[in-house]
Amino acid sequence: MATVHEIDTGGHAPALEARNLSVFYGEKQAVKDVSLVIPAHQVVALIGPSGCGKSTLLRCFNRMNDLVIGARIEGEVLFHGQNLYDSDVDPVEVRRRIGMVFQKPNPFPKSVYENAAFGPRIQGFKGDLDDLVEESLRAAALWDEVSDRLSESAYTLSGGQQQRLCIARTLAVKPEIVLMDEPASALDPIATQKIEDLIWELKERYTIVIVTHNMQQAARISDYAAFLYMGELIEYGPTDTIFTNPKEERTESYVTGRFG
Amino acid sequence: MKERAIGWALFACAGLSTLVTAGIVCILLRETLGFFSEVSIVEYLTGTEWTPQFGEKHFGVLPLAAGSLLIATGAAIVAVPIGLLTAIYMSEYARHRTRSVLKPTLELLAGVPTVVYGYFALTFITPLIRQFFPETDIFNAASAAVVVGIMIIPTVSSLSEDALRAVPQALREGAFGLGATKLEVSLRVVVPAALSGIVASFILAISRAVGETMAVSIAAGNLAQLTANPLKSIQTMTAYVVQVSLGDTPQGTIVYQTLFAVAFTLFLITLAMNILSQWVMRRFREVYE
Ligand SMILES: Nc1ncnc2c1ncn2[C@@H]1O[C@H](COP(=O)(O)OP(=O)(O)OP(=O)(O)O)[C@@H](O)[C@H]1O
Ligand SMILES: [Mg+2]
């Protein structure tokens, strides 16, 4: 049942395209033959009940599943016409261009500055690192709060600040796409609000794919939404349509909170 | 009723070992005090000659301390890099299958009787060193240091591995997500995050090297001289204790008491190192909480 979800990308070039993507953990199939197009400079939300394969799908987009022992991927993910899973593609390079922010803030046990500088440093960044760190922290709407404590441990920051630091750290590498796996689920409403505002600003420069459990959040911040259920992509389209006028009954009952 | 009896029996066992430890420390302390009523602490700590068994007696512990230091340093030079790299390999690189073979094999190293290490040093390492440095003494610090180093590799590798594995997977993923290679993740994120645990393993291993007795008695010689040259014969504190214990030194003599003074010094050094490693270890618990 290979449903290719051709959607109107509103003139946006595709940033990523999954073709007949399946993921297996041992015997268990977590993602089933998913095909979708992620338009550039848009926010795409992956929604669906717990365990439906949102994280697994997201992690396919920058080959993070390579790190999971026993995970096997079939199908293609096209990025600038190149299949990310071709044997000559270096996953390290992929992850530099497609960054990831995780559910729980995971700053390194280093200073705020060193966290933001980590990516550029390992890439042998030659320019003015101070500038890049400031730029990244500003882009993550964190600079004003931490500019006078750059040398303090990242663990002295609040959870919300830590998460924005993780976003800054990702932006410092200058990726084209930012993948976010429930980036606000461990945060309080105010911190969540800040992250949402930030995502809105970031889409100017980046393509964002975000997993979220929170329907209001998905409705607020995303341009497109993909509903997954038991590993299958049930429906994909503009967020408005998904939330107000879905074609599938399962989508409707999920977004209206009747299950999941 | 039966439960209570068992409880008491267990308490008695625990109590007994505590009592024995306390008893040992008491005896050590008493004889040590006896020793220091005849020899000044200053002479003991600063004297550069150790000749209690000679006609002209000197009681400077420095030659013995230097001997122990030489062995510990040499052993650390061997064990720290090998142990740490092994730990990194096992924690970050090895497949489950490889690790399940490698780990018990390494632990076997710790199970080899130390006397075997001593003869291994004497009959294999020393001739090897002599190929490069023919003037090396038959009994020399270097060969003993090498085998003691091999002996403490499991301490370093196993405790460091525990520390590395305790680093949350989320930190590794964060680094991979920024386009770090496996080596960069290991060396720039995981090792620094586990650093206190790793340092604690070094300290514990070195304290074992200081306390090691049999291999150094056999291979390093029994010549208490103050030297930094590892190709020379030396005597460590532990080797001195063995040497005197094996002789027929009459109880109550000053030579007999040196035994306790040296043993007590050794006890304090290893105790300090153990406390230090505990302290370092505790600090590291807080790092990524
Ligand atoms: N490392 C793994 N090994 C085996 N099975 C896994 C692994 N990771 C996920 N799974 C399984 O794959 C399925 C999809 O998991 P995934 O984490 O992608 O779901 P999710 O939609 O992100 O759920 P949640 O909303 O709870 O985060 C689940 O059934 C899960 O149990
Ligand atoms: Mg998930």
Side-chain angles (χ1 to χ4, degrees), chain B residues 32-108:
Chain B
T32 305
L33 289 177
F35 172 78
F36 282 120
S37 67
E38 297 197 25
V39 177
S40 83
I41 279 208
V42 177
E43 180 191 348
Y44 179 74
L45 291 180
T46 60
T48 55
E49 276 180 82
W50 180 258
T51 54
Q53 289 144 302
F54 295 0
E56 193 188 324
K57 296 185 189 313
H58 290 286
F59 298 98
V61 80
L62 284 183
L64 296 183
S68 291
L69 185 68
L70 205 53
I71 297 292
T73 311
I77 290 172
V78 172
V80 161
I82 298 180
L84 180 55
L85 290 176
T86 308
I88 292 174
Y89 174 74
M90 294 221 285
S91 151
E92 307 300 312
Y93 284 83
R95 292 275 166 140
H96 184 75
R97 179 104 41 85
T98 322
R99 186 166 49 234
S100 66
V101 174
L102 198 59
K103 209 172 157 82
T105 313
L106 265 174
E107 269 148 25
L108 224 55

Side-chain angles (χ1 to χ4, degrees), chain A residues 62 64 67 90-100 102 108 118-124 169-170 173 175, chain B residues 172-185:
Chain A
N62 69 343
M64 285 301 276
L67 306 174
D90 178 6
V92 168
E93 184 59 29
V94 171
R95 296 182 199 123
R96 286 178 182 181
R97 299 181 65 182
I98 305 177
M100 186 155 211
F102 300 82
F108 304 127
F118 184 87
R121 271 198 207 285
I122 58 172
Q123 294 184 20
R169 180 175 81 175
T170 302
V173 185
Chain B
R172 292 186 184 85
E173 293 203 328
F176 278 119
L178 294 170
T181 62
K182 190 148 199 164
L183 189 65
E184 287 161 346
V185 173

Side-chain angles (χ1 to χ4, degrees), chain A residues 14-255:
Chain A
L16 263 185
E17 183 176 351
R19 281 197 188 154
N20 304 106
L21 198 63
S22 292
V23 183
F24 301 83
Y25 292 117
E27 293 296 298
K28 188 185 153 62
Q29 186 168 5
V31 169
K32 297 176 185 163
D33 202 22
V34 167
S35 300
L36 57 78
V37 175
I38 310 277
H41 296 284
Q42 299 289 292
V43 179
V44 176
L46 304 182
I47 58 174
S50 186
C52 70
K54 304 181 294 291
S55 298
T56 303
L57 177 61
L58 189 74
R59 291 163 62 96
C60 286
F61 293 152
N62 69 343
R63 294 195 57 171
M64 285 301 276
N65 282 332
D66 289 20
L67 306 174
V68 179
I69 301 156
R72 187 164 57 81
I73 288 113
E74 281 175 11
E76 298 185 332
V77 177
L78 298 179
F79 178 60
H80 293 286
Q82 168 84 357
N83 179 13
L84 296 183
Y85 287 90
D86 274 350
S87 55
D88 60 341
V89 171
D90 178 6
V92 168
E93 184 59 29
V94 171
R95 296 182 199 123
R96 286 178 182 181
R97 299 181 65 182
I98 305 177
M100 186 155 211
V101 176
F102 300 82
Q103 179 166 5
K104 260 182 70 187
N106 59 348
F108 304 127
K110 302 176 189 293
S111 68
V112 172
Y113 184 96
E114 285 305 321
N115 264 278
F118 184 87
R121 271 198 207 285
I122 58 172
Q123 294 184 20
F125 178 74
K126 288 286 182 298
D128 189 333
L129 196 55
D130 291 357
D131 278 354
L132 181 57
V133 166
E134 179 175 343
E135 180 193 326
S136 313
L137 290 169
R138 279 191 195 283
L142 187 59
W143 175 254
D144 294 339
E145 289 160 66
V146 301
S147 60
D148 56 347
R149 46 197 290 206
L150 293 177
S151 57
E152 282 177 38
S153 164
Y155 290 92
T156 62
L157 303 181
S158 72
Q161 289 172 328
Q162 288 185 18
Q163 191 63 304
R164 276 178 285 147
L165 179 59
C166 291
I167 293 175
R169 180 175 81 175
T170 302
L171 301 183
V173 185
K174 306 221 179 280
E176 290 168 45
I177 302 175
V178 180
L179 309 174
M180 300 184 170
D181 194 347
E182 304 191 47
S185 68
L187 306 179
D188 65 54
I190 293 172
T192 301
Q193 181 62 47
K194 286 198 171 149
I195 301 273
E196 286 186 11
D197 293 346
L198 178 59
I199 289 170
W200 197 247
E201 284 168 28
L202 290 179
K203 75 178 234 195
E204 294 284 320
R205 288 204 274 165
Y206 308 90
T207 302
I208 294 171
V209 185
I210 181 171
V211 169
T212 177
H213 254 129
N214 180 326
M215 287 309 105
Q216 286 82 24
Q217 185 174 69
R220 276 195 301 267
I221 63 175
S222 68
D223 301 296
Y224 293 89
F227 173 60
L228 290 149
Y229 185 63
M230 296 187 31
E232 280 179 55
L233 179 59
I234 304 298
E235 190 165 354
Y236 180 42
T239 301
D240 287 348
T241 317
I242 295 288
F243 277 87
T244 56
N245 191 16
K247 292 191 197 64
E248 294 278 334
E249 205 184 307
R250 279 174 296 183
T251 312
E252 179 170 13
S253 36
Y254 182 73
V255 299

Side-chain angles (χ1 to χ4, degrees), chain B residues 18 27 66 81 87-88 97 107 123 135 147 162 169-170 175 198 203 210-211 238 244 262 270:
Chain B
T18 315
I27 293 170
I88 292 174
R97 179 104 41 85
E107 269 148 25
T123 58
E135 75 282 11
V147 292
D162 291 346
Q169 186 64 17
I198 292 170
I203 299 172
V210 172
T238 49
V244 175
V262 171
T270 42

